């Protein structure tokens, strides 16, 4: 009897919901340590101390707002699903034009694997696959997620932290979430560093509340750990973004002399963030970008003219 062991991966969804609670817990601890314990007393001192405290609290809340906005956009936004009975546009044009191509020519039997070749004589452009699990066509750069149990457009990876896949339509939001979380945790680490250094002296002399000491210590360790780990992720995704590559395409790219989707850093960036500069650092897209950049929808991607599709 055939057993699909990948169905067990769906259990990661439960873990994902717990991770959302963990994110909420970390934000709560950090907020209490930075705003209430560290900067709260400074607000009452007056003068330069109050001014600097007000400035830091404002920056903290701006970064926190952008972080949460980006996070919930990643969690709630569909990364991109393949339309039911999807077919390449050129196949549609041939069908509408009366060409002799049967629907069965497009649908692949289960024993053909995950790739499908267009009928002879049909110039289909980019590689088109077929998913045996979804019983549907696979657009270029599309991959099946074993956790979500569906195909995802321009899939980068399944992220347990957001209980969602990262794909064509929410990759920008994911990158902004990484960026703002890194900036927030780095700022928190620097703010809490003096309190962390004084932790043992204050604990020994009982000069501060044990509860506040514990919260400050915990918040510093958590923020430092996240800042360091996120720095690695930011560098990795910056490299992928600059070459228009997803995490799952890294191996495929190694076997190619030229990566066909690499159109240059500027165009690669615009395929993820759009062309409207005012919206680059907020988790939104302009209507003009959505209308003029097909890659943002995840079904069609331009390729280099010097690389055979």
């Amino acid at each position: 009897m055939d057993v699909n062991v990948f169905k067990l991966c769906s259990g990661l969804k439960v873990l994902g919901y717990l991770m959302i609670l963990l994110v909420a817990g970390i934000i709560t601890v950090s907020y209490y340590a930075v705003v209430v314990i560290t900067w709260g007393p400074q607000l009452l001192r007056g003068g330069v101390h109050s001014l600097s405290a007000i400035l830091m609290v404002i920056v903290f809340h701006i970064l926190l707002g952008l972080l949460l906005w980006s996070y919930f956009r990643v969690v709630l936004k569909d990364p991109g699903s393949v339309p039911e009975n999807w077919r390449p546009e050129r196949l549609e044009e041939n069908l509408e034009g009366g060409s002799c191509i049967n629907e069965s020519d497009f649908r692949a039997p289960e024993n053909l694997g995950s790739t499908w070749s267009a009928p002879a004589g049909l110039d289909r452009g980019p590689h088109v696959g077929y998913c045996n699990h979804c019983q549907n066509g696979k657009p270029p750069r599309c991959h099946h997620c074993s956790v979500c149990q569906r195909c995802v457009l321009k899939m980068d990876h399944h992220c347990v932290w957001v209980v969602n896949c990262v794909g064509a339509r929410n990759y920008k939001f994911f990158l902004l979430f990484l960026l703002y979380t890194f900036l927030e945790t780095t700022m928190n680490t620097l703010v809490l560093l003096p309190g962390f250094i004084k932790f043992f002296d204050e604990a020994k002399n009982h000069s501060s509340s044990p509860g506040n000491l514990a919260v400050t210590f915990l918040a510093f360790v958590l923020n430092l750990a996240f800042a360091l780990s996120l720095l690695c992720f930011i560098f990795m995704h910056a490299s992928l973004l600059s070459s228009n590559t997803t995490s799952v395409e890294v191996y495929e790219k190694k076997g190619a002399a030229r990566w066909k989707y690499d159109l240059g850093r500027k165009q690669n960036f615009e395929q993820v963030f759009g062309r409207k500069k005012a919206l680059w650092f907020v988790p939104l897209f302009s209507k003009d970008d959505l209308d003029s950049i097909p890659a943002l929808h995840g079904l069609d991607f331009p390729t280099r003219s010097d690389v055979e599709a």
Side-chain angles (χ1 to χ4, degrees):
M1 180 177 65
D2 294 333
V3 178
N4 181 13
V5 296
F6 291 105
K7 288 184 178 179
L8 301 176
C9 295
S10 59
L12 291 175
K13 291 183 179 180
V14 177
L15 176 61
Y17 294 119
L18 295 178
M19 299 301 271
I20 291 180
L21 295 178
L22 179 59
V23 170
I26 293 172
I27 291 175
T28 301
V29 170
S30 299
Y31 190 94
Y32 184 80
V34 174
V35 177
V36 178
I37 297 177
T38 303
W39 291 115
Q42 300 295 329
L43 293 172
L44 304 176
R45 293 182 62 180
V48 178
H49 295 286
S50 291
L51 184 60
S52 60
I54 291 172
L55 179 61
M56 293 302 297
V57 169
I58 290 175
V59 173
F60 176 91
H61 282 89
I62 290 175
L63 290 176
L64 179 61
L66 291 169
L67 184 162
L68 291 174
W69 188 8
S70 301
Y71 180 71
F72 284 112
R73 287 287 277 163
V74 181
V75 172
L76 301 176
K77 179 66 176 179
D78 188 338
S81 300
V82 183
E84 187 176 359
N85 297 324
W86 177 86
R87 294 178 295 197
E89 288 186 5
R90 293 190 182 184
L91 178 58
E92 290 280 3
E93 292 172 359
N94 276 272
L95 290 172
E96 292 174 1
S99 298
C100 185
I101 299 175
N102 298 322
E103 185 73 12
S104 59
D105 291 329
F106 173 76
R107 291 203 173 275
E110 293 186 2
N111 60 359
L112 288 183
S114 60
T115 59
W116 168 78
S117 297
L122 176 61
D123 180 15
R124 57 182 174 83
H127 171 76
V128 176
Y130 182 86
C131 180
N132 291 324
H133 301 288
C134 300
Q135 296 293 298
N136 198 8
K138 291 175 65 176
R141 315 186 78 178
C142 175
H143 295 274
H144 187 87
C145 176
S146 300
V147 180
C148 296
Q149 296 292 307
R150 65 179 177 128
C151 284
V152 176
L153 300 178
K154 195 189 174 185
M155 178 179 172
D156 188 89
H157 69 287
H158 183 92
C159 183
V160 178
W161 287 93
V162 301
V163 205
N164 199 3
C165 271
V166 176
R169 300 178 185 178
N170 66 353
Y171 186 45
K172 173 186 175 180
F173 311 147
F174 174 75
L175 294 180
L176 290 177
F177 168 60
L178 290 183
L179 174 64
Y180 290 127
T181 303
F182 171 73
L183 295 176
E184 179 83 328
T185 53
T186 299
M187 189 189 80
N188 292 347
T189 300
L190 296 175
V191 167
L192 297 172
L193 181 59
F196 178 78
I197 294 174
K198 297 177 181 177
F199 172 78
F200 297 103
D201 289 337
E202 292 183 354
K204 180 178 179 180
N205 300 326
H206 302 285
S207 58
S208 183
S209 167
N212 288 345
L213 285 175
V215 171
T216 301
F217 179 87
L218 178 61
F220 175 83
V221 172
L222 288 174
N223 279 275
L224 177 61
F226 272 91
L228 293 176
S229 61
L230 285 171
L231 183 60
C232 299
F233 277 103
I234 288 175
F235 275 115
M236 181 187 76
H237 281 283
S239 176
L240 294 174
L241 177 65
S242 67
S243 60
N244 202 350
T245 311
T246 65
S247 298
V248 297
E249 289 173 338
V250 171
Y251 180 78
E252 179 184 351
K253 180 185 174 184
K254 288 182 178 179
R258 292 186 179 90
W259 183 234
K260 59 185 177 182
Y261 298 113
D262 188 355
L263 307 178
R265 292 182 180 179
K266 183 176 183 293
Q267 292 189 55
N268 294 342
F269 182 87
E270 290 175 348
Q271 284 195 23
V272 175
F273 283 83
R275 298 191 183 101
K276 193 172 183 60
K277 296 180 181 179
L279 297 180
W280 277 355
F281 295 102
V282 294
L284 293 172
F285 289 110
S286 69
K287 185 178 183 302
D288 290 340
D289 283 343
L290 291 175
D291 291 340
S292 62
I293 306 178
L296 294 177
H297 298 281
L299 288 170
D300 186 27
F301 301 93
T303 57
R304 293 171 59 109
S305 59
D306 59 342
V307 178
E308 184 179 353

